[in-house]
Amino acid sequence: MFGNLFEEEEDEGFASASTKGRTAKGGEEPPPPRGRSNLCGIRNQGGTCYLNSLLQTLLFTPEFREELFSLGPEELGCLEDKDKPGAKVRVIPLELQKLFARLLLVDHQSACTTDLTHSFGWNSSQGTNQHDVQELNRILFSALEHSLVGTSGSTLIQRLYHGTIVNSIVCKECGNVSQRKEDFLDLTVCVCGVSSLEEALWNMFVEEELFEGNNLYRCAQCSRLVTAAKSAKLKQLPLFMTMSLLRFSFDFTKCERYKETGRYSFPLTIDLRPFCEQTDAEDSDFTYELFSVIIHKGGCYGGHYHVYIKDIDELGLWEPPEEDCKPKTQKKIKEEVKELPEQKLQEDDPLSIITAIIAQESSKSVLLDQLGQKLMNKTGSSWSKRFRKHYGPIGKFLQSHNDVFILISNGTRVALKSNSLSPMADAPAPSEQTVNSDLHSEANQKPKPKTE
């Protein structure tokens, strides 16, 4: 169904854990029950982490889940009849219903997607190859739309995810406007050369591209080459805005694929009004809240997908993270650690800058995914623009100076080696959700309710 874009690394999740030590005298042991979170995972078939991440996102989207369950056997048929001649059975939505029911109701640690992937027409080898989650999203939605034709759910995907863009070209000579409408189910957003979602959207929907010099535009009304301006605006916003980051590219000079690994930030809430054609509606019509982030960790030839999802319906039970140190131990360490003097900042020396940033923090450590932003605040420019050409990615730079820096808190924070015993202070919640330099993210965002 897809090209072989990735090769999955050996997974250490449910797939491997559920197959070891599971046989005993008298037959196979029952599957383990759900853990304290009361949530059911999805077993990896060998390379289906991208599929599992997407399915969990759809499950936790109440509007999608409830619309799917509202379709009964009178419209979809029954799976028991799928092999009967002449029977009209819509297998894909039925298998998706069955999987969602297991994830919600059955007291098992994990569920299997084999029946669902068989309904896609996959063979065993396709389950062991990893693919791109954005491509799967489009193909799954297309398959559902095709399978639901003639039912009350035939417009399900369109009602939840469909939006439109208007592309315009304005002639600078006569003012003639040429427009073309473009439909989308997800927005593909540029990563190369930008550091945030807002900056990318600004480049897409606010900045104009000029046709001038040797690149003139032929105006149909003027019947000649003229200067013109090209722009795009969002015309119709979907209920759920899905944004896919263009992390994977192809270098035509080297004839090889590569992954953009620069830091990329996106807000917890975003106002799309500046990027829309008409802006006279209510504020809530333009405001979206971050709902789900699907992340790819690894390179362009291997890696792993996982997902962070907002549990809107509180289906699970939140487990707070374990403290790195007990309070008494923290107090004892605080008494033992001496404060480092404030470092003198040398603007062209990244070692001096990062050392100063960490030393000036009260906890004497910095979250890895906030280090780039703090460096930008300190110097006025990003790591990619200022230092990447000479020093490489910021993660590699920290590793190359492991005599100065050390990772603590399970690798989530960086501290100075001379101060590595310093405890992690309770940091305030960040105003932005940031993605580390080696991650690929996809933001599925949900609008705020219109009534509050």
Side-chain angles (χ1 to χ4, degrees), residues 363-379:
S363 64
K364 296 297 180 282
S365 66
V366 176
L367 282 168
L368 279 175
D369 60 4
Q370 293 182 6
L371 181 58
Q373 183 63 48
K374 290 181 179 293
L375 186 141
M376 183 180 294
N377 294 341
K378 179 74 73 174
T379 64

Side-chain angles (χ1 to χ4, degrees), residues 105-122:
L105 303 174
V106 179
D107 188 19
H108 288 174
Q109 187 184 71
S110 61
C112 182
T113 57
T114 304
D115 290 341
L116 179 63
T117 55
H118 283 171
S119 72
F120 298 161
W122 289 12

Side-chain angles (χ1 to χ4, degrees), residues 321-351:
E322 296 181 2
E323 295 292 335
D324 292 329
C325 306
K326 295 180 180 179
K328 290 184 179 179
T329 307
Q330 290 184 354
K331 183 177 180 180
K332 184 178 179 182
I333 292 175
K334 283 182 179 179
E335 293 172 352
E336 295 176 352
V337 175
K338 295 180 180 180
E339 295 292 330
L340 289 177
E342 186 170 324
Q343 309 261 339
K344 183 179 179 181
L345 186 63
Q346 301 177 26
E347 293 185 356
D348 295 327
D349 179 14
L351 183 62

